[in-house]
Amino acid sequence: MELARFLHGSADARTAGQTLTHGRAYEAFGNVLFGGRRRQVFTRLARLSGARPGDRALDVGCGTGYLTLCVADAVTPAGSVLGIDPSPDVLTHARRRADRRPHCTFADGIAENLPGPDGGYDVVVSSLMIHHLPEHVRARSVAEMHRVLRPGGRLLLADFRPPANPVARHLIGAVTGPVMEHNPVHLLEPLVRDAGFTQIETGDLHPWIHHVRATKPGRPE
Ligand SMILES: C[S@@+](CC[C@H](N)C(=O)[O-])C[C@H]1O[C@@H](n2cnc3c(N)ncnc32)[C@H](O)[C@@H]1O
């Protein structure tokens, strides 16, 4: 199916992950998927990330920049947020959206090999990206998030929680493909724990989001 193909089907040579190629269509799909609650859900995610004015934040697999801009609002003034994604098309869309916000920038990059030195960020966020990665790459990408966070820095991961109702789940699968239908979000927490994070909390946001937040142990230098 065409929608499933462009949501999860176009590979970038640098990553085993599946990149998006249609920024505008993804935007329309995102608005429909959240049924009018997208702003509310992503504002809440930005709040859960603990991003504060002055923080340096990174959004991994930022897509069209929806969460990136919510985090940008949280870190201003004096802070900054960088959104990274391997898809040029979604980055174009994100840059347009962030017009006139110099503290909100976007760059090409992949989760398995994040830009920036060890400890360069106060906050790392990532929404709806992990299910784009094959399972064998997920631990590596969370380890990278751990590496680029400073001691005491905070992580917020959010991903698609398939509906419990089997009919609704099947419908999601028919439209978006098997990745979202069977997304094992319960594995996010052990992934984060195994990467060395502590103070781990999990939760759900209506309608489709499971989130995990955690802290990199240690004191800020
Ligand atoms: C479903 S979209 C989510 C976008 C955005 N975070 C949001 O919440 O709307 C998943 C994004 O992950 C990106 N992606 C796929 N493989 C990736 C990788 N290896 N590293 C970083 N991003 C990746 C895709 O290009 C796509 O933009």
Side-chain angles (χ1 to χ4, degrees):
M1 176 173 283
E2 182 62 15
L3 182 59
R5 194 192 65 74
F6 93 69
L7 282 175
H8 298 113
S10 172
D12 179 295
R14 294 164 302 166
T15 171
Q18 293 166 324
T19 58
L20 284 184
T21 50
H22 301 74
R24 191 186 298 180
Y26 176 72
E27 270 307 288
F29 173 74
N31 289 331
V32 171
L33 186 71
F34 282 92
R37 292 180 58 89
R38 195 176 182 200
R39 167 65 52 191
Q40 203 176 327
V41 168
F42 281 81
T43 303
R44 178 90 183 116
L45 288 177
R47 200 168 305 138
L48 284 168
S49 77
R52 294 183 289 239
D55 276 350
R56 300 154 299 169
L58 177 69
D59 182 4
V60 181
C62 62
T64 50
Y66 203 96
L67 179 59
T68 327
L69 262 83
C70 295
V71 172
D73 288 342
V75 299
T76 192
S80 62
V81 57
L82 171 67
I84 64 130
D85 201 287
S87 161
D89 193 72
V90 297
L91 289 175
T92 301
H93 199 97
R95 288 191 180 106
R96 207 176 303 132
R97 174 176 259 162
D99 191 30
R100 288 194 285 273
R101 296 184 191 216
H103 67 300
C104 181
T105 54
F106 295 92
D108 174 72
I110 59 170
E112 303 92 310
N113 190 11
L114 290 176
D118 298 1
Y121 292 96
D122 303 296
V123 176
V124 171
V125 300
S126 185
S127 60
L128 300 171
M129 188 281 294
I130 292 284
H131 74 267
H132 279 246
L133 303 177
E135 281 180 31
H136 71 277
V137 180
R138 294 178 188 181
R140 157 109 191 129
S141 76
V142 179
E144 274 291 276
M145 295 174 193
H146 187 274
R147 179 185 69 76
V148 299
L149 272 172
R150 65 159 169 81
R154 298 169 305 281
L155 173 73
L156 185 278
L157 282 187
D159 208 351
F160 181 78
R161 178 173 48 81
N165 180 308
V167 177
R169 204 167 52 238
H170 185 71
L171 200 63
I172 286 284
V175 176
T176 66
V179 178
M180 283 172 76
E181 180 179 355
H182 301 293
N183 193 23
V185 276
H186 62 283
L187 297 180
L188 280 184
E189 193 208 327
L191 205 58
V192 166
R193 192 176 302 284
D194 290 351
F197 287 94
T198 55
Q199 300 177 45
I200 300 172
E201 292 170 38
T202 65
D204 294 320
L205 291 177
H206 182 71
W208 314 113
I209 291 291
H210 180 72
H211 57 81
V212 177
R213 56 182 181 155
T215 302
K216 177 169 173 171
R219 285 171 169 274
E221 282 155 21

